[in-house]
Amino acid sequence: MNYSEEKVIKAFQIYAKLARTAVTDQEAVQLYRADDDIRSLLDLYAKEVDAVIVNTSEHLYLIPETKLSVFHVSNDWIKRHYLRSGATNGDIYLLYFATIILFGTFYNSYQSGRPTRDFLRVEEWMHQIQERIEQLQALDEEVLKQKESEFSYNWRQIVDKWVDMNDIKESVKRQTGNTISRYSFLDTVKRFLLDQDLVMDQGNEEIALTEKAKTIIQRYFMEVEYNKGIFTFIYEMEGEKTDASD
């Protein structure tokens, strides 16, 4: 396909801003939606760096699609910028797990079309995580090993990390310096998500999803191709719990 020089330059200007800041203004959104050539060029530029363009009503975002992307946020980077000294992959797994639970709590079922709530209180977020941890603990050891192999997630490390952050024993553990409380860990996860423009802090311990988060969740987290079935697994655990209580 042949593109005019003007459109190639304009598309590259938008891409250059995305590469620097990962977000653009509303004018870029309007061009992306209205001009097929600019949209095609931007999608092509993003594909070349293993990323995708996500558009909301107000912004364009450049989102890494694979670990090969230069825009991918590595585990080591998260450890250095957000987690305590000596953090392990278990802390990273728990951060991802807490994020998935947060996202899932805004939707009433797997592959929901839109959020079914406006905000989530931190206390309820913690309660939702605790429920899923207890469901993981109730699984047979062989089933858990199978799920670890299937999802490449160390579920046992997630359970152990969460259980070790027992808020009831927080004062004792603060003295040993071996761990942090669940509340302070979720505050760290929230700070990471705020910095990535995925949640908004509404005050009064309430968190809301951004338009960026809603778009990414709908486009990727709800697609088995991208979430590797993890959402399905978590919702299945919730469904089995409901069935058992009937």
Side-chain angles (χ1 to χ4, degrees), residues 103 107 209 213-222 231:
F103 287 166
Y107 295 80
L209 294 180
K214 293 174 186 176
T215 303
I216 292 174
I217 292 168
Q218 188 60 42
R219 187 167 174 179
Y220 296 105
F221 276 78
M222 294 299 184
F231 255 25

Side-chain angles (χ1 to χ4, degrees), residues 135-151:
Q135 289 158 12
L136 286 170
Q137 288 176 308
L139 291 178
D140 180 82
E141 184 68 18
E142 289 303 314
V143 173
L144 201 56
K145 286 181 180 179
Q146 177 188 344
K147 295 300 181 182
E148 287 183 343
S149 175
E150 183 178 345
F151 299 124

